[in-house]
Amino acid sequence: MATLGDIGLSAAINIISALIFLVAFAILRLQPFNDRVYFPKWYLKGLRHSPTHSGAFVTKFVNVDWRAYIRFLNWIPDALKMPEPELIDHAGLDSAVYLRIYLLGLKIFVPITLLAWAILVPVNWTNSTLTKSNFTYSDIDKLSVSNVPLGSLRFWTHIVMAYAFTFWTCFVLKTEYAKVAAMRLQFVASEKRRPDQYTVLVRNVPPDADESVSECVEHFFLVNHQDHYLMHQGVYGANKLAKLVKEKKSKQNWLDYYQLKYSRDQSKRPMMKTGFLGCFGEKVDAIDHQTAEIERLSKEIAEEKQRVRKDPKSIMPAAFVSFKTRWGAAVCAQTQQSRNPTLWLTEWAPEPRDVFWKNLAIPYVSLTIRKLIIAVIFFFLTFFFMIPIAFVQTLASIEGIRKRAPFLNVIIDVPFIKSFIQGFLPGIALKIFLIFLPTILMIMSKFEGWLSISALERKSASKYYIFTIVNVFLGNIIAGAAFEQLDSFLNQSANQIPKTIGVAVPMKASFFITYIMVDGWAGIAGEILRLKPLIFYHLKNFFLVKTEKDREEAMDPGSVGFNTGEPQIQLYFLLGLVYAVVTPFLLPFILVFFGLAYVVYRHQIINVYNQEYESAAAFWPDVHGRIIFALCFSQLSLLGLLSTKHAAQSAPFLIALPVLTISFHSFLKGRYEPAFTKYPIQVRLKVTNSCAKAFRDISKYTELEEARMRDTLEQAREPNLNLKGYLQNAYVHPIFKDEDEDEDEDFMMKLETDSVLVPTKRQSRMNTPVPSKVSAGSSPSLPDAVIHEH
């Protein structure tokens, strides 16, 4: 059981670690040779140039201006200076709204912390229940609800505070939901034209004996959406081709490296070994070998391209279909296209940057099987992880181990070792166990077949959140309860075990405090130091960089990492809401995390991270829903705890809280969530002082009306817009864009600009369904040749 002294030692270790990381960052960021590591975003935007290109030799690598070191902490106010509208223009709405999650934590927990310490801490402290019991406890537990006598009227204070905390949290959530919804709609309304606004992804195209997939798609949409269909781009199974192109690029980089090396010293030709990692095998001329490899790969790439283009098996039963107007795309995306609901499935296309091309080649029929397999694997992964969690708990329960393993007393009784093991080691051990988890979950999400990077991150975040609740939270409480009260479990009757667990739950606050300090203090400070990207950049820069382009590729700006960052934040919301009434001592540690993380991630978003895509804050409903879950969980856990404290008269008053909270969630879901799931295009949005009023102004218009207004305005402003030219190559697989554009011109631009006659090869119309509900003007009895404008 960690004492105040153990917590103090852990706090000292983590604070010192965090300060070392922050000071090291503040100094390293000033050095010119680290500029691309700590400011890569500005280089990618073309607004910053390397300071190592000019000046004396020493000044190219070391900042010799002593005044800069006096102001070495000015990165903190600089990170807070940029106003939110400018931040949105600079980094996108996703990044700006992600930062608002940390602000939301501060808005919720600052008043809760003040109220809990002013009221609940005195109520809990002024008792002597634990001192008269035979439970293992520390001074921290005297500040918790465990120190209140059984059946005491003081429990009414905890119930009133639970209501106050719930109402305050719901008020903040409503205000923030309205604000983010208004920001999303304003962002989308003011945003420039994007290909995904006109494009729909069509899947499960039925096979046709007389037509290819491309011809079948074109004929279908000419029949059913003849007034709005513009063009389509097929989906090809080009994963093997992508591997070949990637391998060729790697060989080309090595060839450039060896040629550069030879140009500097022509007295000796560079040599290499052909075996594993260049350490084994025959020794050959490096330039000749790499040249031969590139020629071989070029031939294989050309052959694979021809196969992809001509082999019907390489063409997936899916396509990106673009329309002349946003309205036409909205109609297609949200209507059933066929009598058979499993065919011609339509959904909004991700923006081109967001498409995860590898998964487009997965047959639609296998997606359900894949998801079922991953669900089973995830179940076993989650629950078998209880084994290392139980091991971590043995580190956190020295007193329990001492009773069963007295031979360790010689080591355990050393004060510093005891404090280190109980106050620091459990948190760092759990952190180490979780290092590889995000990678595993992302691999699982990719196997499931999600088609966009944003969807992959959101699904991976959901798995991570479930895993965190089951293992990090429930696992530590349940396993910890047995270890903490091992003697009580073994020497009491079975009907007393629930009461022991009820007392042990708040006692796990000490473990979570150590975890918060390791993960939320030192871990966040370590994030800004970017030690791994720093080391890898200099290794690449020293050994592999040959040109300025290579130097840019050596930079690793990274991204916010929604799949790992958001579940981590949600754990702190859960801990804060659960322990706000039970053990208020934990709340200040939560506040330090939210405050430090907000400053650090604001700096990183401004200067470092380069977001791969822009979803316009589509993740916010997930954020809101998980906080609601945490709130309900805290209410139910308090109800269960009080039921073990003989508070039969007061505990039933908590039953209404989950009901009210769920009703509140349903209300907000119905009011604001359509802005995140529908087609929110609005051109007449005005910024008002009230975010809620702004949202009400927007919600008066249906999404089709909004799309129609946007189209009308665009036609008035740009009557000669060549929309087909704008969309022509938007959804072509990147592998075809990376190669010689002239070579692939016929492949990528098969549609001409003149009006042509498109005959159908189909002998029957079995695959042409009746018109969709919206496009009733289209008829399946059209002539075999349909005239459309290209």
Side-chain angles (χ1 to χ4, degrees), residues 41 45 86-95 605 611 614:
K41 191 177 187 72
K45 284 179 171 285
E86 185 179 342
L87 180 65
I88 294 174
D89 292 337
H90 175 70
L93 186 63
D94 278 345
S95 298
I605 284 173
Q611 197 66 13
E614 177 59 63

Side-chain angles (χ1 to χ4, degrees), residues 506-530:
M507 290 184 180
K508 292 310 301 173
S510 59
F511 170 81
F512 288 119
I513 288 172
T514 63
Y515 178 77
I516 291 170
M517 288 188 289
V518 171
D519 182 68
W521 293 12
I524 294 297
E527 168 68 24
I528 201 171
L529 182 59
R530 308 195 76 230

Side-chain angles (χ1 to χ4, degrees), residues 611-632:
Q611 197 66 13
E612 298 180 18
Y613 60 86
E614 177 59 63
S615 70
F619 56 80
W620 188 259
D622 294 336
V623 174
H624 174 84
R626 287 168 191 154
I627 297 176
I628 290 292
F629 170 82
L631 191 57
C632 292

Side-chain angles (χ1 to χ4, degrees), residues 97-285:
V97 172
Y98 182 82
L99 287 174
R100 293 192 72 90
I101 306 177
Y102 294 104
L103 282 180
L104 179 64
L106 292 173
K107 291 176 182 178
I108 290 176
F109 288 113
V110 168
I112 286 179
T113 302
L114 295 176
L115 197 59
W117 275 78
I119 298 176
L120 290 178
V121 169
V123 169
N124 296 335
W125 178 261
T126 55
N127 293 281
S128 56
T129 302
L130 290 176
T131 57
K132 298 178 181 179
S133 69
N134 63 340
F135 292 120
T136 303
Y137 68 93
S138 71
D139 290 338
I140 298 174
D141 301 313
K142 293 181 180 179
L143 302 175
S144 73
V145 70
S146 299
N147 201 34
V148 180
L150 299 178
S152 173
L153 292 177
R154 295 191 178 199
F155 288 121
W156 281 105
T157 306
H158 299 81
I159 293 175
V160 171
M161 288 295 99
Y163 271 89
F165 296 164
T166 296
F167 289 155
W168 171 250
T169 302
C170 289
F171 170 76
V172 175
L173 285 175
K174 178 183 180 299
T175 304
E176 199 68 17
Y177 212 148
K179 172 65 176 177
V180 174
M183 291 171 62
R184 171 178 167 84
L185 294 176
Q186 181 180 356
F187 176 81
V188 177
S190 61
E191 193 181 24
K192 297 181 179 179
R193 183 187 306 110
R194 289 195 331 194
D196 53 291
Q197 296 171 351
Y198 300 88
T199 307
V200 169
L201 175 61
V202 182
R203 308 181 72 186
N204 225 25
V205 176
D208 191 287
D210 301 313
E211 293 184 335
S212 66
V213 173
S214 179
E215 293 168 336
C216 190
V217 169
E218 185 167 29
H219 177 254
F220 176 86
F221 284 95
L222 283 172
V223 170
N224 289 274
H225 297 269
Q226 58 179 328
D227 295 331
H228 305 286
Y229 170 75
L230 180 65
M231 56 174 288
H232 75 277
Q233 290 166 340
V235 174
Y236 295 86
N239 289 347
K240 181 180 178 180
L241 178 60
K243 292 180 180 178
L244 291 174
V245 172
K246 182 179 179 181
E247 185 180 358
K248 180 182 176 182
K249 286 183 177 180
S250 176
K251 299 292 185 182
Q252 185 64 53
N253 285 337
W254 278 111
L255 177 60
D256 293 342
Y257 169 74
Y258 288 124
Q259 287 177 337
L260 180 64
K261 184 178 180 180
Y262 180 64
S263 65
R264 292 174 177 174
D265 182 11
Q266 297 187 1
S267 61
K268 184 179 180 182
R269 296 273 292 183
M271 306 295 288
M272 64 170 290
K273 293 184 178 180
T274 59
F276 179 70
L277 295 178
C279 300
F280 305 96
E282 181 184 358
K283 198 170 185 180
V284 297
D285 184 286

